[in-house]
Amino acid sequence: MSQRVNYIQQSPELFKKFLDFSNHLNGCAIEEHIRDLVEIRASQMNGCGFCLDMHVKLAKIHGERELRLHHVAIWRESPLFEPRERAALAWTEVLTHLPEHGVPDDVYERVRGQLSEKEISDLSYVVMAINAWNRINVAFRTVPCSSDKAYGLDKAGLA
């Protein structure tokens, strides 16, 4: 597989603004390890190899346990996730694949039981951002591992 378009070179000003937005999420109310899980799960759902590769490596760099990384795809069945993490993953899934009639009340209430309104709002922006990154990287077939050195992902020791 080869990359179709280098969107960074073609639209550098838009890339920089979107990267700035994404980087700003690092200071939001959602903890880093939950952001990592959310970015992994959305990337799995969207079939984005580039983002999945990147966020698994970032999670490893951030100290995430390897078994939990393998269990993100089966988080409902896995005993390795806390209620707050489960709420974030449920919200990620419902916003990534929006149901025909919107977000069901039972899903919202379950999430609201674990997260504050501010946290739900911030989490929604995290989900929006990773879905946008997934879409551009899937569309242009960005090659997994192609930016490891540039983003310091080689430090994950997963090559």
Side-chain angles (χ1 to χ4, degrees), residues 1 43 46-54 134 137-138 142-145:
M1 180 173 82
S43 299
N46 289 321
C48 185
F50 179 81
C51 292
L52 180 59
D53 176 78
M54 170 184 278
N134 288 168
N137 284 299
V138 167
T142 309
V143 179
C145 305

Side-chain angles (χ1 to χ4, degrees), residues 7 18 38-53 55 92 96 126-142:
Y7 62 87
F18 193 59
V38 162
E39 290 163 340
I40 290 167
R41 185 64 188 132
S43 299
Q44 288 172 335
M45 294 176 70
N46 289 321
C48 185
F50 179 81
C51 292
L52 180 59
D53 176 78
H55 292 290
T92 299
T96 297
V126 172
V127 174
M128 287 168 31
I130 190 57
N131 276 287
W133 286 116
N134 288 168
R135 280 152 179 72
I136 198 161
N137 284 299
V138 167
F140 296 129
R141 294 186 178 160
T142 309

